[in-house]
PDB file of all heavy atoms in Angstrom:
ATOM      1  N   GLY A  23      13.175  15.289 -11.111  1.00 98.00           N
ATOM      2  CA  GLY A  23      13.186  14.118 -11.959  1.00 98.00           C
ATOM      3  C   GLY A  23      11.834  13.443 -12.041  1.00 98.00           C
ATOM      4  O   GLY A  23      10.836  13.926 -11.503  1.00 98.00           O
ATOM      5  N   SER A  24      11.821  12.288 -12.708  1.00 98.00           N
ATOM      6  CA  SER A  24      10.579  11.562 -12.952  1.00 98.00           C
ATOM      7  C   SER A  24      10.736  10.090 -12.629  1.00 98.00           C
ATOM      8  O   SER A  24      11.832   9.524 -12.722  1.00 98.00           O
ATOM      9  CB  SER A  24      10.152  11.701 -14.419  1.00 98.00           C
ATOM     10  OG  SER A  24       9.899  13.046 -14.772  1.00 98.00           O
ATOM     11  N   LEU A  25       9.629   9.473 -12.267  1.00 98.00           N
ATOM     12  CA  LEU A  25       9.531   8.036 -12.081  1.00 98.00           C
ATOM     13  C   LEU A  25       8.175   7.581 -12.584  1.00 98.00           C
ATOM     14  O   LEU A  25       7.207   8.348 -12.561  1.00 98.00           O
ATOM     15  CB  LEU A  25       9.677   7.636 -10.614  1.00 98.00           C
ATOM     16  CG  LEU A  25      11.062   7.690  -9.972  1.00 98.00           C
ATOM     17  CD1 LEU A  25      10.940   7.439  -8.470  1.00 98.00           C
ATOM     18  CD2 LEU A  25      12.000   6.676 -10.604  1.00 98.00           C
ATOM     19  N   ARG A  26       8.100   6.341 -13.007  1.00 98.00           N
ATOM     20  CA  ARG A  26       6.843   5.741 -13.422  1.00 98.00           C
ATOM     21  C   ARG A  26       6.616   4.481 -12.610  1.00 98.00           C
ATOM     22  O   ARG A  26       7.371   3.512 -12.728  1.00 98.00           O
ATOM     23  CB  ARG A  26       6.865   5.413 -14.910  1.00 98.00           C
ATOM     24  CG  ARG A  26       5.554   4.831 -15.463  1.00 98.00           C
ATOM     25  CD  ARG A  26       5.648   4.680 -16.973  1.00 98.00           C
ATOM     26  NE  ARG A  26       4.442   4.160 -17.587  1.00 98.00           N
ATOM     27  CZ  ARG A  26       4.288   2.894 -17.977  1.00 98.00           C
ATOM     28  NH1 ARG A  26       5.262   2.011 -17.809  1.00 98.00           N
ATOM     29  NH2 ARG A  26       3.143   2.516 -18.549  1.00 98.00           N
ATOM     30  N   LEU A  27       5.589   4.491 -11.785  1.00 98.00           N
ATOM     31  CA  LEU A  27       5.238   3.347 -10.970  1.00 98.00           C
ATOM     32  C   LEU A  27       4.225   2.477 -11.692  1.00 98.00           C
ATOM     33  O   LEU A  27       3.365   2.974 -12.410  1.00 98.00           O
ATOM     34  CB  LEU A  27       4.650   3.786  -9.629  1.00 98.00           C
ATOM     35  CG  LEU A  27       5.472   4.753  -8.773  1.00 98.00           C
ATOM     36  CD1 LEU A  27       4.758   5.001  -7.444  1.00 98.00           C
ATOM     37  CD2 LEU A  27       6.873   4.228  -8.550  1.00 98.00           C
ATOM     38  N   SER A  28       4.325   1.180 -11.466  1.00 98.00           N
ATOM     39  CA  SER A  28       3.374   0.233 -12.015  1.00 98.00           C
ATOM     40  C   SER A  28       2.803  -0.618 -10.894  1.00 98.00           C
ATOM     41  O   SER A  28       3.480  -0.897  -9.907  1.00 98.00           O
ATOM     42  CB  SER A  28       4.038  -0.674 -13.053  1.00 98.00           C
ATOM     43  OG  SER A  28       4.521   0.059 -14.151  1.00 98.00           O
ATOM     44  N   CYS A  29       1.573  -1.027 -11.057  1.00 98.00           N
ATOM     45  CA  CYS A  29       0.916  -1.943 -10.134  1.00 98.00           C
ATOM     46  C   CYS A  29       0.245  -3.018 -10.961  1.00 98.00           C
ATOM     47  O   CYS A  29      -0.725  -2.739 -11.674  1.00 98.00           O
ATOM     48  CB  CYS A  29      -0.106  -1.208  -9.268  1.00 98.00           C
ATOM     49  SG  CYS A  29      -1.131  -2.303  -8.256  1.00 98.00           S
ATOM     50  N   ALA A  30       0.751  -4.217 -10.869  1.00 97.00           N
ATOM     51  CA  ALA A  30       0.226  -5.333 -11.638  1.00 97.00           C
ATOM     52  C   ALA A  30      -0.568  -6.262 -10.735  1.00 97.00           C
ATOM     53  O   ALA A  30      -0.066  -6.715  -9.705  1.00 97.00           O
ATOM     54  CB  ALA A  30       1.365  -6.093 -12.308  1.00 97.00           C
ATOM     55  N   ALA A  31      -1.796  -6.532 -11.111  1.00 95.00           N
ATOM     56  CA  ALA A  31      -2.655  -7.446 -10.374  1.00 95.00           C
ATOM     57  C   ALA A  31      -2.655  -8.803 -11.057  1.00 95.00           C
ATOM     58  O   ALA A  31      -2.721  -8.891 -12.284  1.00 95.00           O
ATOM     59  CB  ALA A  31      -4.081  -6.904 -10.291  1.00 95.00           C
ATOM     60  N   SER A  32      -2.581  -9.844 -10.262  1.00 94.00           N
ATOM     61  CA  SER A  32      -2.582 -11.195 -10.800  1.00 94.00           C
ATOM     62  C   SER A  32      -3.441 -12.099  -9.930  1.00 94.00           C
ATOM     63  O   SER A  32      -3.679 -11.804  -8.757  1.00 94.00           O
ATOM     64  CB  SER A  32      -1.156 -11.748 -10.888  1.00 94.00           C
ATOM     65  OG  SER A  32      -0.570 -11.844  -9.601  1.00 94.00           O
ATOM     66  N   GLY A  33      -3.884 -13.209 -10.508  1.00 91.00           N
ATOM     67  CA  GLY A  33      -4.647 -14.176  -9.733  1.00 91.00           C
ATOM     68  C   GLY A  33      -6.034 -14.485 -10.262  1.00 91.00           C
ATOM     69  O   GLY A  33      -7.011 -14.395  -9.514  1.00 91.00           O
ATOM     70  N   SER A  34      -6.132 -14.823 -11.518  1.00 91.00           N
ATOM     71  CA  SER A  34      -7.411 -15.220 -12.122  1.00 91.00           C
ATOM     72  C   SER A  34      -8.481 -14.146 -11.934  1.00 91.00           C
ATOM     73  O   SER A  34      -9.583 -14.404 -11.451  1.00 91.00           O
ATOM     74  CB  SER A  34      -7.890 -16.549 -11.541  1.00 91.00           C
ATOM     75  OG  SER A  34      -6.947 -17.575 -11.776  1.00 91.00           O
ATOM     76  N   ILE A  35      -8.159 -12.942 -12.335  1.00 93.00           N
ATOM     77  CA  ILE A  35      -9.031 -11.784 -12.162  1.00 93.00           C
ATOM     78  C   ILE A  35      -9.956 -11.621 -13.359  1.00 93.00           C
ATOM     79  O   ILE A  35      -9.521 -11.692 -14.509  1.00 93.00           O
ATOM     80  CB  ILE A  35      -8.190 -10.510 -11.968  1.00 93.00           C
ATOM     81  CG1 ILE A  35      -7.374 -10.616 -10.681  1.00 93.00           C
ATOM     82  CG2 ILE A  35      -9.083  -9.273 -11.927  1.00 93.00           C
ATOM     83  CD1 ILE A  35      -6.293  -9.574 -10.566  1.00 93.00           C
ATOM     84  N   PHE A  36     -11.215 -11.364 -13.052  1.00 90.00           N
ATOM     85  CA  PHE A  36     -12.194 -11.086 -14.094  1.00 90.00           C
ATOM     86  C   PHE A  36     -12.366  -9.588 -14.327  1.00 90.00           C
ATOM     87  O   PHE A  36     -12.491  -9.146 -15.466  1.00 90.00           O
ATOM     88  CB  PHE A  36     -13.555 -11.691 -13.738  1.00 90.00           C
ATOM     89  CG  PHE A  36     -13.531 -13.166 -13.489  1.00 90.00           C
ATOM     90  CD1 PHE A  36     -14.214 -13.716 -12.411  1.00 90.00           C
ATOM     91  CD2 PHE A  36     -12.849 -14.023 -14.328  1.00 90.00           C
ATOM     92  CE1 PHE A  36     -14.212 -15.074 -12.181  1.00 90.00           C
ATOM     93  CE2 PHE A  36     -12.826 -15.388 -14.113  1.00 90.00           C
ATOM     94  CZ  PHE A  36     -13.519 -15.913 -13.036  1.00 90.00           C
ATOM     95  N   LYS A  37     -12.401  -8.828 -13.229  1.00 92.00           N
ATOM     96  CA  LYS A  37     -12.683  -7.399 -13.319  1.00 92.00           C
ATOM     97  C   LYS A  37     -12.184  -6.704 -12.057  1.00 92.00           C
ATOM     98  O   LYS A  37     -12.245  -7.262 -10.968  1.00 92.00           O
ATOM     99  CB  LYS A  37     -14.186  -7.170 -13.491  1.00 92.00           C
ATOM    100  CG  LYS A  37     -14.621  -5.713 -13.584  1.00 92.00           C
ATOM    101  CD  LYS A  37     -14.304  -5.125 -14.938  1.00 92.00           C
ATOM    102  CE  LYS A  37     -14.802  -3.688 -15.035  1.00 92.00           C
ATOM    103  NZ  LYS A  37     -16.266  -3.578 -14.902  1.00 92.00           N
ATOM    104  N   ILE A  38     -11.693  -5.473 -12.226  1.00 94.00           N
ATOM    105  CA  ILE A  38     -11.282  -4.637 -11.112  1.00 94.00           C
ATOM    106  C   ILE A  38     -12.073  -3.337 -11.177  1.00 94.00           C
ATOM    107  O   ILE A  38     -12.219  -2.755 -12.252  1.00 94.00           O
ATOM    108  CB  ILE A  38      -9.772  -4.333 -11.150  1.00 94.00           C
ATOM    109  CG1 ILE A  38      -8.962  -5.630 -11.115  1.00 94.00           C
ATOM    110  CG2 ILE A  38      -9.379  -3.424  -9.988  1.00 94.00           C
ATOM    111  CD1 ILE A  38      -7.465  -5.423 -11.242  1.00 94.00           C
ATOM    112  N   GLY A  39     -12.564  -2.894 -10.022  1.00 95.00           N
ATOM    113  CA  GLY A  39     -13.280  -1.637  -9.958  1.00 95.00           C
ATOM    114  C   GLY A  39     -12.327  -0.464  -9.947  1.00 95.00           C
ATOM    115  O   GLY A  39     -11.486  -0.313 -10.831  1.00 95.00           O
ATOM    116  N   ALA A  40     -12.435   0.382  -8.924  1.00 96.00           N
ATOM    117  CA  ALA A  40     -11.547   1.524  -8.815  1.00 96.00           C
ATOM    118  C   ALA A  40     -10.172   1.104  -8.318  1.00 96.00           C
ATOM    119  O   ALA A  40     -10.030   0.133  -7.564  1.00 96.00           O
ATOM    120  CB  ALA A  40     -12.145   2.569  -7.873  1.00 96.00           C
ATOM    121  N   MET A  41      -9.154   1.840  -8.725  1.00 97.00           N
ATOM    122  CA  MET A  41      -7.798   1.617  -8.255  1.00 97.00           C
ATOM    123  C   MET A  41      -7.212   2.956  -7.837  1.00 97.00           C
ATOM    124  O   MET A  41      -7.648   4.010  -8.302  1.00 97.00           O
ATOM    125  CB  MET A  41      -6.924   0.987  -9.334  1.00 97.00           C
ATOM    126  CG  MET A  41      -7.432  -0.344  -9.846  1.00 97.00           C
ATOM    127  SD  MET A  41      -6.317  -1.113 -11.054  1.00 97.00           S
ATOM    128  CE  MET A  41      -5.012  -1.728  -9.961  1.00 97.00           C
ATOM    129  N   GLY A  42      -6.229   2.897  -6.953  1.00 98.00           N
ATOM    130  CA  GLY A  42      -5.611   4.133  -6.511  1.00 98.00           C
ATOM    131  C   GLY A  42      -4.215   3.926  -5.980  1.00 98.00           C
ATOM    132  O   GLY A  42      -3.817   2.806  -5.633  1.00 98.00           O
ATOM    133  N   TRP A  43      -3.485   5.018  -5.950  1.00 98.00           N
ATOM    134  CA  TRP A  43      -2.162   5.051  -5.346  1.00 98.00           C
ATOM    135  C   TRP A  43      -2.222   5.840  -4.051  1.00 98.00           C
ATOM    136  O   TRP A  43      -2.730   6.970  -4.027  1.00 98.00           O
ATOM    137  CB  TRP A  43      -1.142   5.710  -6.272  1.00 98.00           C
ATOM    138  CG  TRP A  43      -0.772   4.889  -7.461  1.00 98.00           C
ATOM    139  CD1 TRP A  43      -1.262   4.987  -8.724  1.00 98.00           C
ATOM    140  CD2 TRP A  43       0.192   3.830  -7.485  1.00 98.00           C
ATOM    141  NE1 TRP A  43      -0.665   4.063  -9.542  1.00 98.00           N
ATOM    142  CE2 TRP A  43       0.229   3.338  -8.811  1.00 98.00           C
ATOM    143  CE3 TRP A  43       1.023   3.259  -6.524  1.00 98.00           C
ATOM    144  CZ2 TRP A  43       1.079   2.291  -9.192  1.00 98.00           C
ATOM    145  CZ3 TRP A  43       1.857   2.219  -6.902  1.00 98.00           C
ATOM    146  CH2 TRP A  43       1.876   1.752  -8.222  1.00 98.00           C
ATOM    147  N   TYR A  44      -1.728   5.246  -2.993  1.00 98.00           N
ATOM    148  CA  TYR A  44      -1.570   5.908  -1.706  1.00 98.00           C
ATOM    149  C   TYR A  44      -0.089   6.046  -1.414  1.00 98.00           C
ATOM    150  O   TYR A  44       0.738   5.330  -1.970  1.00 98.00           O
ATOM    151  CB  TYR A  44      -2.224   5.102  -0.591  1.00 98.00           C
ATOM    152  CG  TYR A  44      -3.737   5.118  -0.593  1.00 98.00           C
ATOM    153  CD1 TYR A  44      -4.461   4.382  -1.520  1.00 98.00           C
ATOM    154  CD2 TYR A  44      -4.440   5.859   0.355  1.00 98.00           C
ATOM    155  CE1 TYR A  44      -5.844   4.389  -1.520  1.00 98.00           C
ATOM    156  CE2 TYR A  44      -5.823   5.862   0.364  1.00 98.00           C
ATOM    157  CZ  TYR A  44      -6.518   5.131  -0.570  1.00 98.00           C
ATOM    158  OH  TYR A  44      -7.893   5.137  -0.558  1.00 98.00           O
ATOM    159  N   ARG A  45       0.248   6.945  -0.511  1.00 98.00           N
ATOM    160  CA  ARG A  45       1.626   7.038  -0.057  1.00 98.00           C
ATOM    161  C   ARG A  45       1.660   7.297   1.436  1.00 98.00           C
ATOM    162  O   ARG A  45       0.748   7.888   2.003  1.00 98.00           O
ATOM    163  CB  ARG A  45       2.405   8.115  -0.813  1.00 98.00           C
ATOM    164  CG  ARG A  45       1.962   9.547  -0.545  1.00 98.00           C
ATOM    165  CD  ARG A  45       2.716  10.502  -1.457  1.00 98.00           C
ATOM    166  NE  ARG A  45       2.350  11.885  -1.229  1.00 98.00           N
ATOM    167  CZ  ARG A  45       2.739  12.901  -1.994  1.00 98.00           C
ATOM    168  NH1 ARG A  45       3.516  12.674  -3.054  1.00 98.00           N
ATOM    169  NH2 ARG A  45       2.358  14.139  -1.706  1.00 98.00           N
ATOM    170  N   GLN A  46       2.726   6.832   2.051  1.00 98.00           N
ATOM    171  CA  GLN A  46       2.908   7.026   3.477  1.00 98.00           C
ATOM    172  C   GLN A  46       4.379   7.274   3.773  1.00 98.00           C
ATOM    173  O   GLN A  46       5.234   6.455   3.440  1.00 98.00           O
ATOM    174  CB  GLN A  46       2.419   5.817   4.264  1.00 98.00           C
ATOM    175  CG  GLN A  46       2.426   6.028   5.763  1.00 98.00           C
ATOM    176  CD  GLN A  46       1.585   5.011   6.500  1.00 98.00           C
ATOM    177  OE1 GLN A  46       1.357   3.910   6.009  1.00 98.00           O
ATOM    178  NE2 GLN A  46       1.111   5.388   7.677  1.00 98.00           N
ATOM    179  N   ALA A  47       4.644   8.406   4.377  1.00 96.00           N
ATOM    180  CA  ALA A  47       5.983   8.759   4.816  1.00 96.00           C
ATOM    181  C   ALA A  47       6.085   8.525   6.317  1.00 96.00           C
ATOM    182  O   ALA A  47       5.072   8.547   7.021  1.00 96.00           O
ATOM    183  CB  ALA A  47       6.291  10.215   4.479  1.00 96.00           C
ATOM    184  N   PRO A  48       7.290   8.295   6.831  1.00 92.00           N
ATOM    185  CA  PRO A  48       7.455   8.081   8.273  1.00 92.00           C
ATOM    186  C   PRO A  48       6.856   9.214   9.085  1.00 92.00           C
ATOM    187  O   PRO A  48       7.103  10.389   8.818  1.00 92.00           O
ATOM    188  CB  PRO A  48       8.973   8.010   8.447  1.00 92.00           C
ATOM    189  CG  PRO A  48       9.470   7.521   7.126  1.00 92.00           C
ATOM    190  CD  PRO A  48       8.574   8.183   6.119  1.00 92.00           C
ATOM    191  N   GLY A  49       6.050   8.855  10.082  1.00 92.00           N
ATOM    192  CA  GLY A  49       5.445   9.844  10.945  1.00 92.00           C
ATOM    193  C   GLY A  49       4.263  10.579  10.362  1.00 92.00           C
ATOM    194  O   GLY A  49       3.740  11.498  11.001  1.00 92.00           O
ATOM    195  N   LYS A  50       3.837  10.202   9.176  1.00 95.00           N
ATOM    196  CA  LYS A  50       2.715  10.870   8.534  1.00 95.00           C
ATOM    197  C   LYS A  50       1.587   9.892   8.251  1.00 95.00           C
ATOM    198  O   LYS A  50       1.794   8.681   8.178  1.00 95.00           O
ATOM    199  CB  LYS A  50       3.157  11.547   7.237  1.00 95.00           C
ATOM    200  CG  LYS A  50       4.138  12.688   7.426  1.00 95.00           C
ATOM    201  CD  LYS A  50       4.420  13.388   6.113  1.00 95.00           C
ATOM    202  CE  LYS A  50       5.345  14.568   6.303  1.00 95.00           C
ATOM    203  NZ  LYS A  50       5.606  15.274   5.021  1.00 95.00           N
ATOM    204  N   GLN A  51       0.398  10.432   8.084  1.00 95.00           N
ATOM    205  CA  GLN A  51      -0.758   9.621   7.749  1.00 95.00           C
ATOM    206  C   GLN A  51      -0.677   9.145   6.299  1.00 95.00           C
ATOM    207  O   GLN A  51      -0.132   9.836   5.439  1.00 95.00           O
ATOM    208  CB  GLN A  51      -2.043  10.422   7.948  1.00 95.00           C
ATOM    209  CG  GLN A  51      -2.305  10.873   9.375  1.00 95.00           C
ATOM    210  CD  GLN A  51      -2.691   9.724  10.259  1.00 95.00           C
ATOM    211  OE1 GLN A  51      -3.412   8.817   9.847  1.00 95.00           O
ATOM    212  NE2 GLN A  51      -2.214   9.753  11.499  1.00 95.00           N
ATOM    213  N   ARG A  52      -1.218   7.974   6.059  1.00 97.00           N
ATOM    214  CA  ARG A  52      -1.332   7.506   4.699  1.00 97.00           C
ATOM    215  C   ARG A  52      -2.332   8.396   3.955  1.00 97.00           C
ATOM    216  O   ARG A  52      -3.403   8.711   4.479  1.00 97.00           O
ATOM    217  CB  ARG A  52      -1.800   6.046   4.680  1.00 97.00           C
ATOM    218  CG  ARG A  52      -1.907   5.450   3.294  1.00 97.00           C
ATOM    219  CD  ARG A  52      -2.273   3.974   3.357  1.00 97.00           C
ATOM    220  NE  ARG A  52      -1.227   3.190   3.995  1.00 97.00           N
ATOM    221  CZ  ARG A  52      -1.286   1.872   4.157  1.00 97.00           C
ATOM    222  NH1 ARG A  52      -2.340   1.192   3.735  1.00 97.00           N
ATOM    223  NH2 ARG A  52      -0.282   1.235   4.755  1.00 97.00           N
ATOM    224  N   GLU A  53      -1.975   8.805   2.767  1.00 97.00           N
ATOM    225  CA  GLU A  53      -2.828   9.685   2.002  1.00 97.00           C
ATOM    226  C   GLU A  53      -3.059   9.156   0.598  1.00 97.00           C
ATOM    227  O   GLU A  53      -2.193   8.505   0.010  1.00 97.00           O
ATOM    228  CB  GLU A  53      -2.229  11.099   1.926  1.00 97.00           C
ATOM    229  CG  GLU A  53      -0.922  11.185   1.162  1.00 97.00           C
ATOM    230  CD  GLU A  53      -0.446  12.615   0.953  1.00 97.00           C
ATOM    231  OE1 GLU A  53      -1.276  13.545   1.012  1.00 97.00           O
ATOM    232  OE2 GLU A  53       0.769  12.798   0.721  1.00 97.00           O
ATOM    233  N   LEU A  54      -4.221   9.454   0.083  1.00 98.00           N
ATOM    234  CA  LEU A  54      -4.545   9.098  -1.291  1.00 98.00           C
ATOM    235  C   LEU A  54      -3.871  10.090  -2.222  1.00 98.00           C
ATOM    236  O   LEU A  54      -4.074  11.300  -2.112  1.00 98.00           O
ATOM    237  CB  LEU A  54      -6.055   9.109  -1.506  1.00 98.00           C
ATOM    238  CG  LEU A  54      -6.537   8.805  -2.924  1.00 98.00           C
ATOM    239  CD1 LEU A  54      -6.184   7.379  -3.324  1.00 98.00           C
ATOM    240  CD2 LEU A  54      -8.034   9.036  -3.038  1.00 98.00           C
ATOM    241  N   VAL A  55      -3.079   9.572  -3.132  1.00 98.00           N
ATOM    242  CA  VAL A  55      -2.372  10.404  -4.095  1.00 98.00           C
ATOM    243  C   VAL A  55      -3.201  10.592  -5.354  1.00 98.00           C
ATOM    244  O   VAL A  55      -3.357  11.704  -5.857  1.00 98.00           O
ATOM    245  CB  VAL A  55      -1.005   9.784  -4.450  1.00 98.00           C
ATOM    246  CG1 VAL A  55      -0.305  10.603  -5.528  1.00 98.00           C
ATOM    247  CG2 VAL A  55      -0.138   9.673  -3.203  1.00 98.00           C
ATOM    248  N   ALA A  56      -3.709   9.505  -5.878  1.00 98.00           N
ATOM    249  CA  ALA A  56      -4.490   9.543  -7.109  1.00 98.00           C
ATOM    250  C   ALA A  56      -5.359   8.307  -7.186  1.00 98.00           C
ATOM    251  O   ALA A  56      -4.989   7.250  -6.676  1.00 98.00           O
ATOM    252  CB  ALA A  56      -3.581   9.634  -8.334  1.00 98.00           C
ATOM    253  N   ALA A  57      -6.505   8.437  -7.824  1.00 98.00           N
ATOM    254  CA  ALA A  57      -7.418   7.319  -7.988  1.00 98.00           C
ATOM    255  C   ALA A  57      -7.984   7.326  -9.393  1.00 98.00           C
ATOM    256  O   ALA A  57      -8.066   8.379 -10.041  1.00 98.00           O
ATOM    257  CB  ALA A  57      -8.550   7.389  -6.962  1.00 98.00           C
ATOM    258  N   ILE A  58      -8.382   6.159  -9.843  1.00 98.00           N
ATOM    259  CA  ILE A  58      -8.951   6.025 -11.182  1.00 98.00           C
ATOM    260  C   ILE A  58     -10.024   4.953 -11.150  1.00 98.00           C
ATOM    261  O   ILE A  58      -9.850   3.883 -10.581  1.00 98.00           O
ATOM    262  CB  ILE A  58      -7.844   5.711 -12.218  1.00 98.00           C
ATOM    263  CG1 ILE A  58      -8.421   5.679 -13.629  1.00 98.00           C
ATOM    264  CG2 ILE A  58      -7.122   4.409 -11.872  1.00 98.00           C
ATOM    265  CD1 ILE A  58      -7.337   5.701 -14.709  1.00 98.00           C
ATOM    266  N   THR A  59     -11.164   5.251 -11.740  1.00 96.00           N
ATOM    267  CA  THR A  59     -12.260   4.295 -11.795  1.00 96.00           C
ATOM    268  C   THR A  59     -12.045   3.317 -12.936  1.00 96.00           C
ATOM    269  O   THR A  59     -11.147   3.481 -13.770  1.00 96.00           O
ATOM    270  CB  THR A  59     -13.606   5.008 -11.986  1.00 96.00           C
ATOM    271  OG1 THR A  59     -13.652   5.583 -13.298  1.00 96.00           O
ATOM    272  CG2 THR A  59     -13.807   6.099 -10.945  1.00 96.00           C
ATOM    273  N   SER A  60     -12.882   2.297 -12.968  1.00 92.00           N
ATOM    274  CA  SER A  60     -12.787   1.325 -14.047  1.00 92.00           C
ATOM    275  C   SER A  60     -13.044   1.965 -15.403  1.00 92.00           C
ATOM    276  O   SER A  60     -12.553   1.460 -16.421  1.00 92.00           O
ATOM    277  CB  SER A  60     -13.767   0.173 -13.816  1.00 92.00           C
ATOM    278  OG  SER A  60     -15.105   0.634 -13.768  1.00 92.00           O
ATOM    279  N   GLY A  61     -13.798   3.060 -15.415  1.00 92.00           N
ATOM    280  CA  GLY A  61     -14.085   3.768 -16.647  1.00 92.00           C
ATOM    281  C   GLY A  61     -13.068   4.819 -17.027  1.00 92.00           C
ATOM    282  O   GLY A  61     -13.182   5.423 -18.098  1.00 92.00           O
ATOM    283  N   GLY A  62     -12.086   5.061 -16.154  1.00 94.00           N
ATOM    284  CA  GLY A  62     -11.021   5.988 -16.481  1.00 94.00           C
ATOM    285  C   GLY A  62     -11.125   7.370 -15.872  1.00 94.00           C
ATOM    286  O   GLY A  62     -10.271   8.223 -16.142  1.00 94.00           O
ATOM    287  N   SER A  63     -12.144   7.630 -15.052  1.00 97.00           N
ATOM    288  CA  SER A  63     -12.227   8.914 -14.366  1.00 97.00           C
ATOM    289  C   SER A  63     -11.152   8.992 -13.299  1.00 97.00           C
ATOM    290  O   SER A  63     -10.901   8.020 -12.587  1.00 97.00           O
ATOM    291  CB  SER A  63     -13.604   9.099 -13.738  1.00 97.00           C
ATOM    292  OG  SER A  63     -14.614   9.125 -14.730  1.00 97.00           O
ATOM    293  N   THR A  64     -10.526  10.157 -13.158  1.00 98.00           N
ATOM    294  CA  THR A  64      -9.389  10.302 -12.251  1.00 98.00           C
ATOM    295  C   THR A  64      -9.626  11.370 -11.206  1.00 98.00           C
ATOM    296  O   THR A  64     -10.436  12.281 -11.380  1.00 98.00           O
ATOM    297  CB  THR A  64      -8.109  10.632 -13.031  1.00 98.00           C
ATOM    298  OG1 THR A  64      -8.297  11.862 -13.747  1.00 98.00           O
ATOM    299  CG2 THR A  64      -7.771   9.529 -14.011  1.00 98.00           C
ATOM    300  N   ASN A  65      -8.879  11.252 -10.118  1.00 98.00           N
ATOM    301  CA  ASN A  65      -8.902  12.218  -9.037  1.00 98.00           C
ATOM    302  C   ASN A  65      -7.504  12.282  -8.443  1.00 98.00           C
ATOM    303  O   ASN A  65      -6.847  11.249  -8.291  1.00 98.00           O
ATOM    304  CB  ASN A  65      -9.918  11.815  -7.968  1.00 98.00           C
ATOM    305  CG  ASN A  65     -10.093  12.865  -6.901  1.00 98.00           C
ATOM    306  OD1 ASN A  65     -10.113  14.053  -7.191  1.00 98.00           O
ATOM    307  ND2 ASN A  65     -10.228  12.428  -5.657  1.00 98.00           N
ATOM    308  N   TYR A  66      -7.047  13.498  -8.100  1.00 98.00           N
ATOM    309  CA  TYR A  66      -5.699  13.692  -7.596  1.00 98.00           C
ATOM    310  C   TYR A  66      -5.703  14.516  -6.324  1.00 98.00           C
ATOM    311  O   TYR A  66      -6.534  15.410  -6.144  1.00 98.00           O
ATOM    312  CB  TYR A  66      -4.829  14.421  -8.619  1.00 98.00           C
ATOM    313  CG  TYR A  66      -4.627  13.686  -9.913  1.00 98.00           C
ATOM    314  CD1 TYR A  66      -5.487  13.880 -10.986  1.00 98.00           C
ATOM    315  CD2 TYR A  66      -3.570  12.801 -10.067  1.00 98.00           C
ATOM    316  CE1 TYR A  66      -5.307  13.208 -12.179  1.00 98.00           C
ATOM    317  CE2 TYR A  66      -3.380  12.124 -11.262  1.00 98.00           C
ATOM    318  CZ  TYR A  66      -4.247  12.332 -12.309  1.00 98.00           C
ATOM    319  OH  TYR A  66      -4.052  11.661 -13.492  1.00 98.00           O
ATOM    320  N   ALA A  67      -4.747  14.219  -5.461  1.00 98.00           N
ATOM    321  CA  ALA A  67      -4.502  15.093  -4.333  1.00 98.00           C
ATOM    322  C   ALA A  67      -3.993  16.434  -4.842  1.00 98.00           C
ATOM    323  O   ALA A  67      -3.285  16.502  -5.852  1.00 98.00           O
ATOM    324  CB  ALA A  67      -3.476  14.472  -3.393  1.00 98.00           C
ATOM    325  N   ASP A  68      -4.362  17.506  -4.150  1.00 98.00           N
ATOM    326  CA  ASP A  68      -3.942  18.837  -4.587  1.00 98.00           C
ATOM    327  C   ASP A  68      -2.424  18.949  -4.702  1.00 98.00           C
ATOM    328  O   ASP A  68      -1.912  19.657  -5.577  1.00 98.00           O
ATOM    329  CB  ASP A  68      -4.460  19.896  -3.623  1.00 98.00           C
ATOM    330  CG  ASP A  68      -5.955  20.116  -3.731  1.00 98.00           C
ATOM    331  OD1 ASP A  68      -6.546  19.726  -4.758  1.00 98.00           O
ATOM    332  OD2 ASP A  68      -6.535  20.676  -2.793  1.00 98.00           O
ATOM    333  N   SER A  69      -1.707  18.258  -3.844  1.00 97.00           N
ATOM    334  CA  SER A  69      -0.260  18.369  -3.815  1.00 97.00           C
ATOM    335  C   SER A  69       0.429  17.800  -5.049  1.00 97.00           C
ATOM    336  O   SER A  69       1.595  18.104  -5.300  1.00 97.00           O
ATOM    337  CB  SER A  69       0.295  17.677  -2.565  1.00 97.00           C
ATOM    338  OG  SER A  69      -0.051  16.307  -2.550  1.00 97.00           O
TER     339      SER A  69
END
């Protein structure tokens, strides 16, 4: 199946640099899933 996650930033923000999604499962290290720069360049975990 599919899901769409959203992350909304609030608080009188002028600009945000890079953003990313991390995930952490019980007993596992937190890992970077995907990242995106302010210009739209992306990077993904191989998995």
Side-chain angles (χ1 to χ4, degrees):
S24 298
L25 286 172
R26 183 174 181 259
L27 306 183
S28 298
C29 172
S32 63
S34 300
I35 296 167
F36 303 136
K37 179 76 177 298
I38 301 176
M41 301 184 76
W43 288 98
Y44 288 75
R45 68 186 181 188
Q46 187 163 25
K50 295 186 177 181
Q51 297 288 322
R52 182 176 295 181
E53 65 173 338
L54 178 65
V55 176
I58 184 167
T59 68
S60 60
S63 297
T64 60
N65 187 40
Y66 297 91
D68 288 342
S69 60

